[in-house]
Amino acid sequence: NNGADDYPRDKYGNCDFEQVDALRLDDLQRDVAELLEGRAVEGPSFDIGAGKRRVGSTVRIEGVPLENGVLLMEGIFALQDILLPNLPSDQKLRVVVHPTSILNVDELRFVSHQVLRMLRRIVRDYHCRTRDARDILSRWRSVADGEIRNVIPFIDSADILLNASNLYEIGALKSTALPLLNHVSPAFPVEYAQAAQLKSLLDWYYVVPNPDTAPKE
């Protein structure tokens, strides 16, 4: 990733994390070419909390012949050819893991995949990125727009599409998401209203007391 000062901006003047220009494409393409040639590269690291690019560790593909190895790339931009334009298509396997099913609460209420992704993000960013629920809710519009720009137009190019929706998931997320949503202050009326909507949805679900007991398949 770029550093915060180098990010492209959206129409509101905020850092736009949801466009491919936020990546250092030249560095990415050079490093992947080096890896596929069997050479070591210095993999960068990104400090989410500080918004800074850091020096990472040295990486090399080892343990198998290169022609039999797999280089895994993950991210919202991974379907786009602009990431690795010089790599032949027959050497790429595009896999989309995405919550595609609508989860019905009853005959009148349902949970869209965007709402499920937002609940996931609130819990993930709390644990991994030191962000609170208000911060995540303030990015809701940007996240939804990023999906429209970077996933949906390219989804037909996927070789494999895996549905990541799980019936038990909202119950597993509730124990962490609900306290975080309760801390969204009325001083931020837009995010407060969004939090209220999500809390109303969570009221329809029991808490899964131990997510580790969820099915593995």
Side-chain angles (χ1 to χ4, degrees):
N1 298 65
N2 289 308
D5 295 338
D6 300 324
Y7 270 109
R9 302 282 169 167
D10 63 20
K11 61 183 179 182
Y12 305 102
N14 301 314
C15 289
D16 188 352
F17 302 103
E18 310 294 335
Q19 65 167 286
V20 73
D21 289 338
L23 302 179
R24 295 174 182 262
L25 289 176
D26 290 342
D27 291 353
L28 172 67
Q29 292 159 11
R30 183 199 64 234
D31 287 352
V32 168
E34 293 283 307
L35 286 170
L36 295 179
E37 291 292 329
R39 291 187 282 271
V41 301
E42 186 179 86
S45 177
F46 191 75
D47 186 330
I48 296 290
K52 298 291 184 181
R53 178 186 169 101
R54 308 292 191 194
V55 176
S57 56
T58 300
V59 180
R60 183 197 298 270
I61 299 177
E62 296 180 320
V64 294
L66 287 177
E67 63 270 17
N68 296 327
V70 175
L71 178 62
L72 180 64
M73 296 182 62
E74 181 273 337
I76 192 172
F77 311 116
L79 292 175
Q80 300 186 40
D81 284 329
I82 193 174
L83 257 63
L84 299 174
N86 297 321
L87 189 66
S89 294
D90 60 2
Q91 295 183 27
K92 301 175 185 176
L93 180 68
R94 296 177 174 89
V95 180
V96 175
V97 182
H98 186 71
T100 55
S101 295
I102 293 176
L103 302 178
N104 288 338
V105 177
D106 56 27
E107 293 181 352
L108 299 177
R109 300 171 180 84
F110 67 91
V111 182
S112 72
H113 68 274
Q114 283 192 352
V115 169
L116 179 56
R117 289 178 61 235
M118 186 54 59
L119 287 171
R120 289 178 176 181
R121 182 176 287 245
I122 288 171
V123 172
R124 181 201 66 185
D125 283 13
Y126 167 72
H127 285 298
C128 303
R129 300 185 175 181
T130 64
R131 290 176 177 162
D132 60 23
R134 190 205 67 81
D135 184 29
I136 304 308
L137 290 170
S138 71
R139 302 172 191 268
W140 191 323
R141 176 179 53 202
S142 176
V143 170
D145 182 59
E147 180 182 21
I148 291 171
R149 284 186 287 160
N150 297 299
V151 178
I152 293 176
F154 304 97
I155 204 163
D156 286 343
S157 68
D159 300 294
I160 299 173
L161 180 62
L162 300 177
N163 180 11
S165 300
N166 294 295
L167 293 175
Y168 60 81
E169 184 172 2
I170 294 179
L173 293 170
K174 180 176 178 178
S175 61
T176 301
L178 186 57
L180 296 174
L181 292 168
N182 283 334
H183 278 87
V184 178
S185 169
F188 303 94
V190 174
E191 292 82 4
Y192 185 75
Q194 292 171 330
Q197 290 179 329
L198 291 174
K199 289 191 290 184
S200 177
L201 166 68
L202 292 174
D203 283 343
W204 288 87
Y205 287 84
Y206 291 107
V207 171
V208 175
N210 181 7
D212 291 338
T213 64
K216 303 302 182 185
E217 297 182 358

